[in-house]
Amino acid sequence: MSKSRLLRSLANSRSGVAMTEFALGAPFLLMAGLWGAEEANFALTTMKINQLAIHIADNASRIGDTSTLQDRKIYESDINEVIYGAQLQGGVGIDLYAFGRVFISSVQVDPAAGNQYIDWQRCRGAKPVGSSYGDANDNLGTAGIGPTGEEVLAMPDDAVIFVEINYTYQPLISHRFLGRPDIRSIASFTVRDDRDLTQIYQRDPASPDPVQSCSSYAGRMVVGSDGSISDGGSSSGSSSTTTSSGSSSTTTSSGGSSSTTSSGGSSTSTGGSSTTSGGSSTTSGGSSSSGGSSGGASSGGASSGGASGGGASSGGASSSGGRP
């Protein structure tokens, strides 16, 4: 068949029309579907952030010990639990403190001047932003706190918990559809019971709980089995090496965990656990153990040992974080 006849035959052919039309339309149809999925995910994420703001403000307005004889005291551990609860509520899909920042403010009335002011503020999140409504000890005047025309006020001898979240949206498919817009949400609740407004207490002053300072920018929280709080890989560590005759040791620390290895009674410790060989013993949960020619193991604070020699180590880590 000549080339001219082949071209005329192809021009007159009507087979494969549906396949051709689908091939031409499929990219546009796929693009529209993916765009719709991204829009739906953005709406869902916005709703979750709004719910988290309400969740935090509501819980922070309820915390404190229970007493019928005095005003309820609040503790740093109470605030830490509220912040950690929001991380669990948001889940790994949101990863609130890795991509956002939360500000918890206690708004009260200055008894001397009668103005509204922020008595204390706690923050958490790796996003390097500040609050849009004020910092600790800021004088808010008589207007209160919140968007213009929508401010909330605390009553004398009472407090309002005001929560602000600033979160960077994480695309489901690609940032080319919506980009990475900021999602902002606020919520406020009046403190439920008569609260001791003089200060935030420590349950054990000798071993104080971490304070979620607004001057630091820590990401997700990690809570150990003993209740200690550390940063989930948001901080970098340091390393050091020491060598002496007859033994060598190497220590490396990153993200709140540490590792130590030595020869002639070697030990390895990571995140509060330790292992010793040459008189082998294993320790977890921040406990220590020693061993000699016959090994031993301990867990949760128990220890066992052999006849001679060995090593001991203990671990644990904690850190405090920051706010949007």
Side-chain angles (χ1 to χ4, degrees):
M1 180 182 295
S2 65
K3 184 180 295 186
S4 58
R5 291 186 61 188
L6 178 60
L7 293 176
R8 284 195 301 271
S9 177
L10 290 175
N12 296 327
S13 176
R14 294 294 182 267
S15 61
V17 173
M19 182 181 295
T20 303
E21 290 176 346
F22 179 77
L24 293 174
F28 299 98
L29 181 63
L30 180 62
M31 186 70 68
L34 294 177
W35 197 311
E38 194 69 73
E39 288 280 5
N41 185 67
F42 178 74
L44 181 61
T45 301
T46 301
M47 182 187 71
K48 287 183 177 180
I49 296 299
N50 291 337
Q51 291 296 320
L52 283 172
I54 297 172
H55 169 88
I56 296 171
D58 188 17
N59 286 343
S61 69
R62 299 173 184 267
I63 59 175
D65 58 7
T66 302
S67 174
T68 58
L69 302 178
Q70 60 183 0
D71 292 341
R72 299 182 69 171
K73 296 180 178 179
I74 62 172
Y75 300 86
E76 292 292 350
S77 59
D78 296 332
I79 299 174
N80 291 339
E81 288 171 359
V82 170
I83 292 175
Y84 184 60
Q87 176 178 296
L88 297 179
Q89 188 76 16
V92 295
I94 295 294
D95 212 350
L96 179 62
Y97 301 129
F99 304 110
R101 192 161 174 80
V102 173
F103 306 86
I104 306 175
S105 305
S106 178
V107 180
Q108 298 167 205
V109 178
D110 184 349
N115 291 331
Q116 307 278 314
Y117 78 105
I118 300 177
D119 182 54
W120 57 261
Q121 191 173 71
R122 295 294 182 268
C123 312
R124 183 78 189 194
K127 188 174 182 179
V129 295
S131 172
S132 301
Y133 302 100
D135 301 317
N137 301 317
D138 279 1
N139 188 338
L140 304 174
T142 58
I145 189 171
T148 302
E150 302 176 9
E151 296 90 345
V152 294
L153 296 169
M155 296 293 104
D157 300 321
D158 205 348
V160 168
I161 298 298
F162 185 85
V163 172
E164 176 188 358
I165 298 180
N166 190 321
Y167 178 80
T168 300
Y169 174 67
Q170 300 303 301
L172 175 67
I173 299 168
S174 173
H175 68 277
R176 289 182 171 85
F177 291 111
L178 300 177
R180 290 187 173 89
D182 290 336
I183 300 174
R184 295 182 175 88
S185 182
I186 58 173
S188 63
F189 275 83
T190 301
V191 170
R192 297 293 202 276
D193 301 282
D194 292 332
R195 175 176 288 183
D196 184 339
L197 303 177
T198 59
Q199 63 175 306
I200 301 176
Y201 295 86
Q202 289 283 358
R203 294 192 181 277
D204 184 4
S207 179
D209 292 299
V211 177
Q212 304 301 317
S213 170
C214 292
S215 62
S216 60
Y217 295 85
R220 67 180 64 91
M221 301 173 70
V222 176
V223 177
S225 58
D226 60 348
S228 62
I229 296 175
S230 61
D231 297 335
S234 60
S235 61
S236 60
S238 60
S239 61
S240 62
T241 302
T242 305
T243 304
S244 61
S245 59
S247 64
S248 63
S249 65
T250 302
T251 303
T252 303
S253 174
S254 177
S257 63
S258 62
S259 173
T260 305
T261 305
S262 63
S263 60
S266 63
S267 66
T268 301
S269 173
T270 303
S273 63
S274 64
T275 304
T276 304
S277 61
S280 62
S281 64
T282 303
T283 306
S284 62
S287 60
S288 63
S289 64
S290 61
S293 58
S294 61
S298 68
S299 177
S303 65
S304 61
S308 63
S313 66
S314 63
S318 66
S319 63
S320 62
R323 141 188 173 173

